[in-house]
Amino acid sequence: MSAADSALSLLPPLVAIGLAILTRRVLLSLGLGILVGALLLNAANPLAALGDLAARLLALFWTLPAANEAGLGSPEAWNLSILGFLLLLGAMVALVTLSGGTRAFGEWARRRIATRRDAQLMTVVLGAVIFIDDYFNSLAVGNVSRPVTDRQGVSRAKLAYLIDSTAAPVCVLMPLSSWGAYLISLIGGILAAHAITGTSALGAFVQVSMLNFYAISALLLVLATATLDLNLGPMARHEAAARQGRVYDSRRGTPPGNPAVTEHEGGRPRDLLVPIGVLVAATLAALLITGARGLATEGLAFSLLGAFEHTEVALSLLAGGLLGLATTLALLWPRPAVRANLPRTLWLGLGTMWPAIQILVLAWLLTGIIGELGTGAYLAGLVEGVLAPHWLPILLFLLGGIMAFATGTSWGTFGILLPIAGDLAAATELAMLLPMLGAVLAGAVFGDHCSPISDTTILSSTGAACHHIDHVITQLPYAGLGALVSLAGYLVVGLTGSALWGLVACLALLGLSIALLALRKSRLTSQA
């Protein structure tokens, strides 16, 4: 039996994800999942599998030039740019800490943000405002918010959840984002393929966004969590430790051992805020510039949506990171005492990103192997011809969640499952097209939130300086609640055929759940 496009293609992601959750040793788990996949692709020949893995690892960063095909938009350039951005951000954060900017910003914020609630709400608002790209959101918001949440006794696990739940859910709903541009182009292709002319791609995207019950639920739930300080399941242990000034690490029960950067006196809040501001502005400018260049290359007129559709996200992040680091250096250079510690601090800053880089590279390898095995295609094939049209949104939500969880990519799930949803709607009941597309988007974001091999999960834990698996485990109850109310919404869509009633049911059930959780918290507090 061939592993490609068969049940065997599920084995590598199951090994990687299952072991990661059971052992909490992410690198080992990813490595074993990769090895299983390589053996499946190479007829269980160990030597051939090792040679294949070596070639795949090299291909992540360098390929032989062939007719000038490689360029700034090539996959290897994307990978190198993302890793370069991580290293630049690590160096920048270390230098800001060296200058005393992190401490100064924490003191400044403490006078203005006096409660845990305000610190969490600040993180949620920042996450909602920085909607350009989920990678950028996760890292930038984490580094701005961490000094404030640390001082207010908010755990790193809670911070990672707040970041992750205002990254992908915001980006997937916003047309002016890298996600929005990608989805608008996919939806436009589906409309054209089925000769649907009554609405534009942008108009359809807006309607589909209102049917993305999980993203809407996740945003409302994270807002309620920040406002009411709701702590579900394992999150309560991390929060209890944070209130006592400790970091709860489920691997050892002790704080993670991060190399200390010397913090100098005389730092100012602007030593943190100005570099981050330059980073945001420069990244946004680079996104628009590279997008405009992409439009010009294809002979198209400039538009904001068009620019975000044709932009080069990884290159823009790299450019923003370079300017952000240069600004940080410029601010601390006039201070000789700080300047003397530059080499050591830069090295420590680069080192802080090494664990994230290892996980990310292994996740890329596993994603490539899963793609070649056809895991996504196999899962997608399970949906066809199973249920009546009105029940397909539920099935597509579940399948999208499983696919994104197993493959670690919501974008890959979008690319595979959205066209299939379009074909299913055209072949059964075209009126269900938008609910089915919304269900795919919702399921993909849900699966992405739960998956330990997802890029955004990895980067959210990196931005919060939280252990990766701790973030996965503590986020699961929140993601599970969002998924349950979303399922209820799609169930109502199936029963009534009304997308509006489905949204109302989803929001009503979410509101009831939040009220019950708040009541339970109030009772526990009064008994303490």
Side-chain angles (χ1 to χ4, degrees), residues 185-197 418-419 422-423 426 430 433:
S185 65
L186 283 178
I187 291 171
I190 292 169
L191 296 178
H194 299 290
I196 299 172
T197 57
L418 282 175
D423 291 342
L430 199 55
L433 174 64

Side-chain angles (χ1 to χ4, degrees), residues 367 400 403-414 444 447-448 451 453-455:
T367 299
M403 188 183 297
F405 180 80
T407 60
T409 167
S410 49
W411 280 42
T413 303
F414 297 152
D448 187 90
S451 177
I453 62 173
S454 160
D455 287 1

Side-chain angles (χ1 to χ4, degrees), residues 337-413:
V338 177
R339 198 167 63 230
N341 287 317
L342 271 179
R344 174 180 177 273
T345 303
L346 282 171
W347 180 252
L348 289 175
L350 296 175
T352 59
M353 290 297 172
W354 178 237
I357 287 173
Q358 289 177 292
I359 296 172
L360 206 52
V361 169
L362 290 179
W364 284 339
L365 277 174
L366 182 59
T367 299
I369 288 172
I370 288 170
E372 191 165 331
L373 284 170
T375 304
Y378 171 73
L379 289 170
L382 298 178
V383 74
E384 297 184 275
V386 175
L387 291 176
H390 287 297
W391 301 111
L392 285 174
I394 290 180
L395 188 59
L396 287 168
F397 174 78
L398 292 172
L399 184 60
I402 294 170
M403 188 183 297
F405 180 80
T407 60
T409 167
S410 49
W411 280 42
T413 303

Side-chain angles (χ1 to χ4, degrees), residues 100-116 118-119 122 147-149 151-152 267-270 273:
T102 302
R103 177 191 294 171
F105 177 72
E107 294 291 344
W108 175 85
R110 188 170 63 175
R111 295 192 294 271
R112 292 160 178 80
I113 299 174
T115 65
R116 288 168 44 84
D118 291 346
M122 181 200 77
V148 182
T149 53
R151 285 187 177 273
Q152 294 300 332
R268 301 153 295 182
R270 72 175 189 182
L273 296 175

